[in-house]
Amino acid sequence: MLRIGCHLPSSKGYLEMGKHAVSLGANTFAFFTRNPRGGKAKPIQEEDVKAFLAYAKEHDIDRLVAHAPYTMNLCSADPSIRQFGMDMLADDLQRMEYTPNQYYNFHPGSHVKQGAETGIAQIAETLNKVLFPEQTTTVLLETMAGKGSEVGRNFEELRAILDRIELQEKMGVCLDTCHIWDGGYDIVGNLEQVLEEFDRVIGLHRLYAVHLNDSMNPLGAHKDRHQKIGQGHIGLEALTAVVRHPVLKDLPFILETPNDDAGYAAEIAQLRELAK
Ligand code: FE
Ligand code: FE
Ligand code: ZN
């Protein structure tokens, strides 16, 4: 069965998120590990996590794709911001162990005026300090649209980060369809070629999750404005091909489209049908 869900508000705790997901017809979901603008995370309620894990099992939810806050920039030119990011990452990885064997996705960062090479080195350096051998979480680098000075604007930049990581098996990639489209990868005209390129540069064995989004902008726009499924420049046909593709179809698909609950439920139901 297709694993599909959306990004949920995380304010009410794990069990609430699980119930919310199920009410939308989802069997996977994403959430911010803390306020997306950063700051202190709410303490984990062990009873809540326990109840959630039982509920998730009953409802065939076996994949969580947590999302780091946007304020986490591991390659800021400001060392205090890098440190702030590292502290959040380290804390989040401890928290993730309450829900073992799940995914934690983050935006590699924006190097501002430091250059991509410096950015890549700083991101890898921090990951090497924070990843630990006992962790069960897989940390995912998200493919980015290349807005401003974002690192991860192409597959090569993600590969360059991965190459520097000591605990290789703790790392993977999350592919965002809006971002790679905006980054210039033509998943409408030639999905097959894009996946071949991903395989050649990064390796498909490192792909763990997909953010399924349409885009408000044309190919290569480097804008990062998500659109509802079928209402943007990528379109329903191409996104259907993504969820049906043999090398992607078993991954968790997370919608980050501009929707309310009814909109998410409708997109989930529609994509389930089209994936058959
Ligand atoms: Fe993201
Ligand atoms: Fe995304
Ligand atoms: Zn985005």
Side-chain angles (χ1 to χ4, degrees):
M1 177 137 129
L2 187 69
R3 280 191 191 84
I4 188 163
C6 61
H7 193 110
L8 297 173
S10 45
S11 49
K12 296 174 201 151
Y14 285 89
L15 183 60
E16 280 304 310
M17 286 194 289
K19 288 181 175 173
H20 191 176
V22 167
S23 78
L24 302 175
N27 53 351
T28 183
F29 62 89
F31 61 101
F32 285 119
T33 50
R34 60 187 70 217
N35 184 312
R37 300 195 183 281
K40 217 167 146 22
K42 278 196 199 159
I44 296 260
Q45 306 290 331
E46 291 197 36
E47 282 306 306
D48 172 45
V49 178
K50 222 173 119 193
F52 165 72
L53 290 173
Y55 182 86
K57 203 166 183 186
E58 261 168 57
H59 294 269
D60 296 316
I61 297 174
D62 60 359
R63 273 290 157 243
L64 306 184
V65 189
H67 200 303
Y70 293 138
T71 46
M72 197 173 101
N73 185 3
L74 302 186
C75 59
S76 168
D78 178 343
S80 71
I81 293 176
R82 290 206 300 277
Q83 183 65 47
F84 176 68
M86 182 165 93
D87 294 344
M88 281 198 287
L89 176 61
D91 183 45
D92 279 352
L93 290 185
Q94 292 299 328
R95 298 158 60 82
M96 287 298 296
E97 290 302 313
Y98 285 90
T99 54
N101 303 301
Q102 298 304 336
Y103 301 155
Y104 178 85
N105 169 74
F106 78 104
H107 297 181
S110 291
H111 64 71
V112 193
K113 285 180 180 127
Q114 303 195 92
E117 226 168 287
T118 300
I120 286 163
Q122 289 174 340
I123 294 159
E125 190 190 327
T126 296
L127 285 165
N128 283 330
K129 282 186 192 152
V130 169
L131 298 175
F132 56 103
E134 301 79 16
Q135 78 180 58
T136 65
T137 305
T138 306
V139 175
L140 308 182
L141 301 170
E142 183 167 351
T143 59
M144 301 311 294
K147 193 177 61 179
S149 65
E150 278 174 347
V151 175
R153 60 196 293 125
N154 55 40
F155 299 158
E156 283 79 3
E157 289 189 0
L158 296 184
R159 172 61 191 260
I161 298 169
L162 292 170
D163 277 346
R164 291 170 182 254
I165 303 301
E166 285 149 23
L167 297 173
Q168 284 286 323
E169 72 284 3
K170 308 298 182 192
M171 294 293 301
V173 171
C174 171
L175 186 145
D176 186 310
T177 55
C178 168
H179 295 177
I180 64 167
W181 169 258
D182 278 32
Y185 293 96
D186 187 4
I187 54 172
V188 176
N190 206 334
L191 176 63
E192 216 54 54
Q193 198 186 310
V194 172
L195 292 176
E196 273 167 27
E197 193 169 341
F198 187 100
D199 196 32
R200 181 174 55 78
V201 177
I202 299 176
L204 282 166
H205 63 286
R206 283 165 147 165
L207 181 56
Y208 285 82
V210 175
H211 285 172
L212 195 72
N213 302 307
D214 213 325
S215 173
M216 289 191 185
N217 290 289
L219 179 68
H222 302 295
K223 289 273 208 272
D224 191 5
R225 300 280 312 278
H226 300 191
Q227 181 55 292
K228 292 178 185 173
I229 301 299
Q231 296 187 24
H233 285 259
I234 301 175
L236 187 58
E237 200 182 318
L239 292 168
T240 301
V242 168
V243 297
R244 293 182 66 111
H245 196 284
V247 309
L248 304 176
K249 67 177 179 46
D250 296 321
L251 300 175
F253 294 98
I254 304 293
L255 300 162
E256 300 171 309
T257 45
N259 273 307
D260 56 14
D261 277 2
Y264 277 130
E267 285 187 351
I268 290 167
Q270 180 185 29
L271 287 157
R272 279 199 195 289
E273 201 50 44
L274 290 168
K276 278 180 187 163

